[in-house]
């Protein structure tokens, strides 16, 4: 269809022995997503987005966030932002500037210890509260933390939550391999506020924010053509703004149908019923052995957490295949360790500039203690390309589906996350998939829908959302409802 090709660097394969060549061809068959499949996936995706908004609901949660409308650029003030993602924890202080669209940010990053991901809720929130405390001590040397009641915190909590107000959020389920006890089905806001109290940090949470919503709002703040916010990182997801009138599951609230509300799609759950996605045995294995089998089926094929694992499973399978000679006679103990390779391992292979893939050679020796031959490295390189390309092309289906559902012909999609930022060719491959889906050929000079690097969603976005929330509280309005009206079905946030 389209003539512009997304990059992939296929070196000469003439020296690859027949058994490896056959495997490469089989892998190509399993992992390639042709245009027709993209179209089929997008079609179903559009239907599933609508289903998620319906009263009956579907696999994709389509969570209303109670973030109403876009920022105007007039938002001001200093806010705390906390980002609890899949890998790191970040605390920021954000000063929204005098000039529209400008801000200053001070931040500290903390590694999330591995054991916390399978511990208890109390451990997680105590650790998080301690990081906030350390940040405040370091950045407010002359002040007493106990007097900081006036600070407003935008808490970016990047997991699916049911929100009936912006400062509440019941965790639907953990994703991204987290398996922390005692939190699913509970409101995470009071749990975290109690932890803050235990640490003597009296700040309250003004807004609970998903990273995609933060990305959408932060990008729209500096680029008003933004209509979608996406994360392509450890997990994968998107948010966009919907008219209240198109959300049947909120009909009972009888709110203004023109009210604009951000929806956190939680599209990682797309195709949990396994109808359309071209899953391989490796994808099925990942799902089966994960802490939440049957959940996040789409995410498990495209997100950073899983790309290295898919790659590892394929190599192990080849090693044990009697018809294939790969890593012959070598100890592959290090490769046998589940989740030992992350997406950055594939990114390094795809970035190897040498014809004989010498960087890949060194990488395998150093990380896995495996010595590779040049033909083996050619298979390895092709495998990384296939997995990375499939992830980019399927991710683009989600973007296309939102655009089709909302009848958006042109826009910017603000995107963030380690895969988007660091995985070679991810952006170009996604753009190529969008061209195929929408049929933009070479005569279309500039792609009408472009996925672009976003502003800092979990920092600035969360701060902006806290600012927007305070403004609405001060105006006596919450989620389009005058909170003083009797019978308001949406509990107003406390004026903290
Ligand atoms: C979570 C989403 C999040 C995404 C990106 C997914 O696993 O369910 O809430 O937006 O990861 O971080």
């Amino acid at each position: 269809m389209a003539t512009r090709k997304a990059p992939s660097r296929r070196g000469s394969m003439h020296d690859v022995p027949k058994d490896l060549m056959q495997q490469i061809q089989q892998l190509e068959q399993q992992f390639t997503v042709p245009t027709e499949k993209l179209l089929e996936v997008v079609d179903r995706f559009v239907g599933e987005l609508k289903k998620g908004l319906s009263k009956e609901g579907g696999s994709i949660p389509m969570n209303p966030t109670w973030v109403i409308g876009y920022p105007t650029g007039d938002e001001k003030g200093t806010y705390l932002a906390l980002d609890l993602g899949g890998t790191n924890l970040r605390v920021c202080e954000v000063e929204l500037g005098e000039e529209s669209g400008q801000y200053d940010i001070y931040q500290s990053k903390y590694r999330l210890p591995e054991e916390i991901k399978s511990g208890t809720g109390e451990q997680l929130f105590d650790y998080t509260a301690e990081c906030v405390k350390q940040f405040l001590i370091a950045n407010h040397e002359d002040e007493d933390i106990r007097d900081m009641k006036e600070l407003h915190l935008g808490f970016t909590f990047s997991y699916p939550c049911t929100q009936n107000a912006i400062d509440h959020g019941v965790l639907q389920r953990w994703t991204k391999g987290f398996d922390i006890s005692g939190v699913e089905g509970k409101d995470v806001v009071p749990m975290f506020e109690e932890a803050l109290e235990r640490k003597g940090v009296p700040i309250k949470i003004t807004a609970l924010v998903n990273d995609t919503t933060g990305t959408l709002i932060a990008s729209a703040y500096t680029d008003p053509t933004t209509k979608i916010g996406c994360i392509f990182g450890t997990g994968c997801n998107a948010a966009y703004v919907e008219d209240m009138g198109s959300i049947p599951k909120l009909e009972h609230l009888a709110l203004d149908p023109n009210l604009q509300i951000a929806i956190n799609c939680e599209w990682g759950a797309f195709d949990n019923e396994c109808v359309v996605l071209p899953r391989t045995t490796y994808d099925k294995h990942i799902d089966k052995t994960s802490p939440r089998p049957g959940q996040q089926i789409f995410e498990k094929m495209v997100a950073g957490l899983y790309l290295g694992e898919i790659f590892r499973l394929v190599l192990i399978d080849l090693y044990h295949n009697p018809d294939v000679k790969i890593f012959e006679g070598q100890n592959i103990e290090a490769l046998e360790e589940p989740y030992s390779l992350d997406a950055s391992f594939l990114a390094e292979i795809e970035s190897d500039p040498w014809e004989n893939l010498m960087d890949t050679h060194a990488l395998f020796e150093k990380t896995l203690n495996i010595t590779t031959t040049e033909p083996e490295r050619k298979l390895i390189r092709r495998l990384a390309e296939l997995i990375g390309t499939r992830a980019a092309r399927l991710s683009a289906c989600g973007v296309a589906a939102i655009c089709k559902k909302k009848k958006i012909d042109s826009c910017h999609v603000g995107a963030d996350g380690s895969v988007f930022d660091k995985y070679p060719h991810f952006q170009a491959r996604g753009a190529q998939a969008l061209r195929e889906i929408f049929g933009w050929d070479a005569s279309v000079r500039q792609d009408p829908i472009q996925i672009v690097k976003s502003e800092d969603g979990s920092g600035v976005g969360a701060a902006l959302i806290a600012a927007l929330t305070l403004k609405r509280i001060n105006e006596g309005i919450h989620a389009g409802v005058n909170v003083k009206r009797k019978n308001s079905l949406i509990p107003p946030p406390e004026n903290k």
Side-chain angles (χ1 to χ4, degrees):
M1 189 180 267
T3 48
R4 286 166 291 174
K5 280 272 171 255
S8 90
R9 218 216 45 174
R10 300 180 66 172
S12 154
M13 291 284 185
H14 73 270
D15 57 345
V16 178
K18 206 162 151 235
D19 62 331
L20 289 188
M21 205 54 224
Q22 258 175 5
Q23 294 307 317
I24 292 177
Q25 282 158 359
Q26 276 184 24
L27 290 168
E28 283 175 344
Q29 265 178 16
Q30 290 183 73
F31 283 93
T32 303
V33 189
T35 311
E36 303 69 48
K37 190 67 185 174
L38 293 179
L39 294 172
E40 203 190 318
V41 170
V42 173
D43 249 17
R44 184 159 177 97
F45 221 129
V46 174
E48 291 298 301
L49 294 175
K50 289 185 187 156
K51 216 171 178 187
L53 295 172
S54 72
K55 286 183 190 152
E56 301 72 36
S59 285
I60 305 184
M62 302 297 276
N63 291 329
T65 63
W66 302 107
V67 172
I68 307 291
Y70 292 104
T72 58
D74 296 336
E75 293 73 19
K76 291 192 182 42
T78 300
Y79 301 87
L80 271 186
L82 168 65
D83 177 14
L84 182 61
T87 316
N88 295 318
L89 200 152
R90 193 166 59 117
V91 190
C92 319
E93 197 162 306
V94 184
E95 275 174 33
L96 300 175
E98 288 302 312
E99 301 268 318
S100 175
Q102 294 206 342
Y103 56 84
D104 279 322
I105 185 161
Y106 313 90
Q107 57 173 321
S108 296
K109 252 188 178 181
Y110 308 84
R111 185 94 194 160
L112 213 52
E114 217 32 60
E115 59 277 12
I116 279 214
K117 299 180 188 170
S118 51
T120 67
E122 204 169 291
Q123 284 164 346
L124 170 76
F125 289 122
D126 276 351
Y127 178 82
T128 309
E130 181 61 32
C131 293
V132 174
K133 182 175 177 178
Q134 292 310 327
F135 176 87
L136 290 174
I137 291 173
N139 286 280
H140 294 262
E141 277 179 351
D142 307 327
E143 295 166 62
D144 187 338
I145 317 178
R146 285 164 302 183
D147 298 336
M148 292 188 179
K149 293 198 175 76
E150 295 310 312
L151 267 180
H152 292 278
L153 173 68
F155 180 16
T156 305
F157 182 74
S158 304
Y159 302 90
C161 287
T162 308
Q163 293 188 274
N164 60 9
I166 200 161
D167 59 349
H168 291 255
V170 174
L171 177 64
Q172 293 165 334
R173 74 195 66 82
W174 287 115
T175 58
K176 294 181 275 210
F178 274 49
D179 193 12
I180 299 174
S181 60
V183 192
E184 282 168 314
K186 301 223 175 90
D187 188 344
V188 296
V189 173
M191 289 181 99
F192 182 47
E193 285 182 344
E194 279 158 27
L196 285 169
E197 240 172 81
R198 282 197 289 275
K199 298 278 173 191
V201 184
I203 48 176
K204 296 279 180 203
I205 296 167
T206 307
L208 187 75
V209 180
N210 187 261
D211 50 0
T212 55
T213 318
T215 299
L216 169 68
I217 296 300
S219 295
Y221 184 56
T222 52
D223 173 3
T225 66
T226 308
K227 295 276 180 270
I228 299 172
C230 282
I231 299 290
F232 305 109
T234 307
C236 180
N237 186 19
Y240 73 101
V241 172
E242 188 56 274
D243 320 306
M244 188 57 79
S246 304
I247 313 177
K249 65 181 176 185
L250 295 185
E251 241 168 42
H252 61 286
L253 298 178
L255 299 175
D256 175 358
N258 296 317
L259 199 71
Q260 302 284 295
I261 177 170
I263 299 289
N264 163 21
C265 301
E266 290 296 336
W267 76 19
F270 170 61
D271 208 30
N272 277 354
E273 44 294 283
C274 304
V275 173
V276 73
L277 289 173
R279 292 167 86 216
T280 64
T281 47
Y282 312 106
D283 301 305
K284 291 177 189 163
H285 178 90
I286 285 186
D287 179 45
K288 234 176 42 206
T289 54
S290 75
R292 299 287 178 280
Q295 302 288 351
Q296 304 294 98
I297 293 296
F298 179 62
E299 179 163 85
K300 285 170 178 158
M301 296 176 78
V302 301
L305 178 60
Y306 305 101
L307 300 186
E309 185 61 2
I310 299 170
F311 174 85
R312 192 187 71 81
L313 290 172
V314 175
L315 288 186
I316 288 187
D317 203 20
L318 290 175
Y319 178 80
H320 291 296
N321 184 337
D323 301 331
V324 184
K325 292 193 181 64
I326 191 167
F327 314 146
E328 266 197 301
Q330 297 193 59
N331 178 351
I332 63 155
E333 208 180 330
L335 184 67
E336 304 262 19
E337 177 65 29
Y339 288 90
S340 52
L341 306 179
D342 61 18
S344 68
F345 191 85
L346 273 66
E348 274 193 60
I349 296 170
E350 285 224 51
S351 309
D352 189 340
W354 309 111
E355 202 52 45
N356 58 2
L357 301 169
M358 280 319 281
D359 286 357
T360 304
H361 182 74
L363 184 68
F364 265 70
E365 291 224 307
K366 189 170 132 237
T367 320
L368 298 170
N369 210 8
I370 291 176
T371 307
T372 52
T373 64
E374 194 171 329
E376 284 171 355
R377 291 196 294 279
K378 287 189 172 160
L379 177 141
I380 287 168
R381 165 69 157 240
R382 185 71 190 124
L383 176 60
E385 273 176 12
L386 286 168
I387 294 171
T389 304
R390 187 186 72 160
R393 288 170 72 77
L394 288 178
S395 299
C397 291
V399 172
I402 295 181
C403 292
K404 287 204 171 184
K405 146 108 194 37
K406 287 294 293 171
K407 303 196 171 34
I408 297 169
D409 296 327
S410 86
C411 75
H412 277 169
V413 175
D416 206 352
S418 50
V419 173
F420 186 78
D421 289 347
K422 299 198 189 119
Y423 198 102
H425 316 309
F426 184 85
Q427 303 184 25
R429 289 167 178 167
Q432 171 61 24
L434 286 180
R435 285 180 207 124
E436 291 170 39
I437 293 165
F438 289 105
W440 303 322
D441 59 19
S443 69
V444 180
R445 298 209 130 217
Q446 207 181 29
D447 295 347
I449 297 165
Q450 287 179 25
I451 308 178
V452 298
K453 174 71 190 149
S454 79
E455 296 296 327
D456 172 6
S458 345
V460 181
L464 280 166
I465 291 171
L468 286 170
T469 307
L470 280 180
K471 185 161 167 258
R472 295 181 69 78
I473 293 172
N474 292 336
E475 286 166 356
I477 296 172
H478 179 57
V481 179
N482 184 335
V483 292
K484 288 166 198 139
R485 197 181 81 177
K486 269 190 168 171
N487 304 335
S488 164
L489 288 167
I490 305 167
E494 294 157 38
N495 196 347
K496 291 161 180 169

